[in-house]
Amino acid sequence: MGNRLTQIATRTGDTGTTGLGNHQRVSKNSLRVHAMGEVDELNSHIGLLLCEDMPGPLRQLLVEIQHQLFNLGGELSIPGFELLKPEAVMALDQALEDHNAQLPKLQEFILPAGTRAAAQAQVCRTVARRAERSVVALGNEEALNETPRQYLNRLSDLMFVLARVLNRLHGGDDVYWKSERMKG
């Protein structure tokens, strides 16, 4: 994968282009760069979530997700390259199954609220959905592997479940939507 950074301020992007991992220059407004940016933002939001108090296994899961998101970003930065493996999607499927099994079934929609950690997990969910849309848009224009799209789809589901788990860590619960339609 490309060269390691030895200089941060290269000034090569001053013209509105950026270099991909294969040394190709593209517009900073290209679909590929948007997708890379969305994945980077998602990784940063997970980093912020990791500032919260949580059990070690959950922390380890999120750190592993950060590494996989870096793999995903690397894959996006080199057209035609595969770095994110299908096993990473299977790991999310397993985590989703494990964490969802300990939660009560939903009876109503819930709000992205509760504890600060749960609210941040919900932010991660929405950013994951946006990253997924960017990857889908890129895939509509260029050939892409399926794994990045699948990973982001699964990750957004997992972040929803983890928000519910995080709300319960300190005795909290889901914050239910009070639908006007349902009041009757």
Side-chain angles (χ1 to χ4, degrees), residues 6 10 16 22 28 30 45 59 69 74 77 88 103 106 110 113 121 132 141 146 155 161 163 166-167 174 176:
T6 57
T10 63
N22 64 358
K28 289 185 178 186
S30 73
H45 277 291
R59 180 171 302 285
L69 286 173
S77 77
L103 296 170
L106 283 173
I110 62 171
E132 179 186 9
E141 300 296 320
E146 291 182 346
L155 181 55
V161 168
L166 288 164
N167 262 339
D174 298 316
Y176 290 96

Side-chain angles (χ1 to χ4, degrees), residues 79-117:
F81 192 68
E82 180 188 17
L83 193 55
L84 185 68
K85 304 297 183 200
E87 293 80 19
V89 177
M90 293 186 317
L92 289 184
D93 280 332
Q94 187 62 57
L96 192 54
E97 185 177 319
D98 293 346
H99 288 283
N100 201 39
Q102 61 185 288
L103 296 170
K105 292 199 182 300
L106 283 173
Q107 302 299 317
E108 182 59 81
F109 289 106
I110 62 171
L111 299 178
T115 66
R116 187 170 60 185

Side-chain angles (χ1 to χ4, degrees), residues 177-184:
W177 173 45
K178 295 178 182 163
S179 168
E180 293 298 318
R181 181 179 57 81
M182 304 296 278
K183 283 185 177 177

Side-chain angles (χ1 to χ4, degrees), residues 49-171:
L49 177 56
L50 282 164
C51 293
E52 300 293 329
D53 184 40
M54 65 185 68
L58 183 52
R59 180 171 302 285
Q60 290 171 338
L61 172 63
L62 292 173
V63 168
E64 175 60 24
I65 288 168
Q66 282 196 302
H67 285 280
Q68 294 300 339
L69 286 173
F70 216 82
N71 287 340
L72 195 161
E75 182 168 326
L76 290 172
S77 77
I78 304 174
F81 192 68
E82 180 188 17
L83 193 55
L84 185 68
K85 304 297 183 200
E87 293 80 19
V89 177
M90 293 186 317
L92 289 184
D93 280 332
Q94 187 62 57
L96 192 54
E97 185 177 319
D98 293 346
H99 288 283
N100 201 39
Q102 61 185 288
L103 296 170
K105 292 199 182 300
L106 283 173
Q107 302 299 317
E108 182 59 81
F109 289 106
I110 62 171
L111 299 178
T115 66
R116 187 170 60 185
Q120 181 60 32
Q122 291 284 7
V123 170
C124 293
R125 173 188 60 81
T126 63
V127 176
R129 287 282 186 220
R130 184 168 15 106
E132 179 186 9
R133 290 189 301 271
S134 288
V135 168
V136 167
L138 176 60
N140 288 340
E141 300 296 320
E142 300 181 34
L144 284 182
N145 298 319
E146 291 182 346
T147 307
R149 186 186 69 251
Q150 293 168 347
Y151 190 84
L152 291 167
N153 181 275
R154 222 62 103 252
L155 181 55
S156 63
D157 291 341
L158 178 61
M159 295 313 298
F160 176 83
V161 168
L162 293 182
R164 296 185 69 208
V165 168
L166 288 164
N167 262 339
R168 286 166 173 74
L169 266 178
H170 301 289

Side-chain angles (χ1 to χ4, degrees), residues 2-42:
N3 296 329
R4 299 282 183 218
L5 292 177
T6 57
Q7 182 180 351
I8 301 303
T10 63
R11 294 171 182 72
T12 58
D14 290 352
T15 62
T17 64
T18 191
L20 298 179
N22 64 358
H23 304 290
Q24 176 186 1
R25 303 282 313 164
V26 297
S27 169
K28 289 185 178 186
N29 196 34
S30 73
L31 290 175
R32 184 170 296 277
V33 173
H34 276 281
M36 290 164 41
E38 303 294 352
V39 170
D40 186 34
E41 183 181 350
L42 173 57

